Amino acid sequence: MIEIDKNGSEWSPLELWIENIKKGQKQFAVLVDPDKCTKEMVPKLMKYLPQQATHIFVGGSTVAPGKTHQLICAIKQHGALPVWIFPGDAEQISSEADALLFLSLISGNNPKYLIGQQTRAAAQLRTMDLHTISTAYLLIDGGAQSAEARVTGTQPLPSEDLEMILNRTMAAYHMGVKAIYLEAGSGAKYPVAPVIIQRIKTATGLPLIVGGGLRQEAQIQTAWDAGADMVVVGTAIEEVISSMES
């Protein structure tokens, strides 16, 4: 999908993101899991979005078919923020989204999440007008067993093994990905270390997303200062959603 800026220029979601990076504008994405947020809860969710939110990510590790599309449609009806799909599998695709993070889990060796799910997704994308952003997805140890690791059958990369993290990232860089996503995992005890963020950003220069374990303003600012172009907050928002149900 194409977005129009205030000057009337047309930008793809990736082009607009890169332009914002050039201007020094940091991005804040709120991750919403369709299994934990129903379409009926969207009006309240939009009301309690953080003021600094610039994007909404929709997706989860295990989501029933159709839920992602329904939730995206509801969000688009109640808000104007760009909605990007952060898919756990090929079933989580909707033409109503503004963009799809076309992820490859390069921190692990499971072919299902390196090329298998991507092949299934490609068959659907042939009939859709949906902008994709080729993204290298790396799961970094956040001190807790994550849903991502459990579902994909892979282990996170040790946070202290900076060379392994860098080598995996650079392999994806040389294969032509357009963005990097460093993920500490759902429910992480601690976020991705600033030194990892800094090294990856310096080495690749690519748009960099960082998520997992970001609960406090200071942690978010630290990630931005280290080189993250976009931070993703999910668990903290899930707690707000849970409180809305009680």
Side-chain angles (χ1 to χ4, degrees):
M1 292 186 179
I2 299 297
E3 299 182 40
I4 309 297
D5 70 8
K6 62 182 180 181
N7 297 316
S9 300
E10 293 185 353
W11 303 86
S12 72
L14 178 58
E15 289 171 337
L16 183 58
W17 185 20
I18 292 174
E19 186 66 16
N20 288 334
I21 292 172
K22 292 178 180 178
K23 295 177 181 177
Q25 298 175 1
K26 298 295 187 179
Q27 309 292 291
F28 184 112
V30 171
L31 174 60
V32 183
D33 188 333
D35 274 340
K36 299 176 181 178
C37 179
T38 65
K39 60 182 181 180
E40 290 77 17
M41 296 164 63
V42 168
K44 287 186 177 180
L45 170 67
M46 303 304 290
K47 180 179 178 180
Y48 290 103
L49 281 179
Q51 186 176 2
Q52 66 267 50
T54 61
H55 294 73
I56 297 177
F57 282 10
V58 176
S61 297
T62 55
V63 177
K67 279 190 174 182
T68 299
H69 177 73
Q70 293 173 8
L71 183 57
I72 291 173
C73 289
I75 291 173
K76 299 289 281 187
Q77 289 176 357
H78 291 89
L81 291 180
V83 179
W84 291 8
I85 302 173
F86 173 52
D89 57 45
E91 301 302 323
Q92 298 176 45
I93 297 179
S94 168
S95 59
E96 292 301 310
D98 295 296
L100 166 70
L101 292 175
F102 201 80
L103 304 174
S104 182
L105 183 61
I106 65 165
S107 57
N109 298 320
N110 187 343
K112 181 178 180 180
Y113 293 94
L114 283 168
I115 190 61
Q117 291 288 350
Q118 294 78 0
T119 301
R120 291 177 56 204
Q124 300 178 60
L125 291 169
R126 290 168 60 190
T127 63
M128 292 184 184
D129 179 21
L130 178 58
H131 183 77
T132 60
I133 302 174
S134 175
T135 305
Y137 186 53
L138 291 92
L139 187 58
I140 311 297
D141 183 22
Q145 178 69 20
S146 67
E148 294 89 344
R150 175 177 53 81
V151 171
T152 63
T154 65
Q155 293 300 313
L157 298 175
S159 58
E160 65 273 12
D161 195 345
L162 187 53
E163 287 303 304
M164 174 61 75
I165 296 171
L166 184 59
N167 288 339
R168 289 264 177 167
T169 304
M170 293 308 297
Y173 172 84
H174 290 300
M175 287 190 288
V177 298
K178 303 301 184 183
I180 308 293
Y181 194 137
L182 300 177
E183 171 71 82
S186 55
K189 293 181 180 179
Y190 45 82
V192 178
V195 64
I196 298 175
I197 299 172
Q198 190 275 329
R199 283 291 300 275
I200 297 303
K201 182 62 180 179
T202 300
T204 68
L206 293 174
L208 179 59
I209 306 171
V210 176
L214 297 172
R215 293 174 172 271
Q216 303 172 7
E217 290 288 343
Q219 293 174 320
I220 292 171
Q221 189 61 53
T222 295
W224 277 334
D225 291 343
D229 299 301
M230 180 184 292
V231 297
V232 181
V233 175
T235 301
I237 303 302
E238 290 174 2
E239 292 172 353
V240 173
I241 295 173
S242 298
S243 68
M244 287 160 43
E245 292 183 293
S246 58

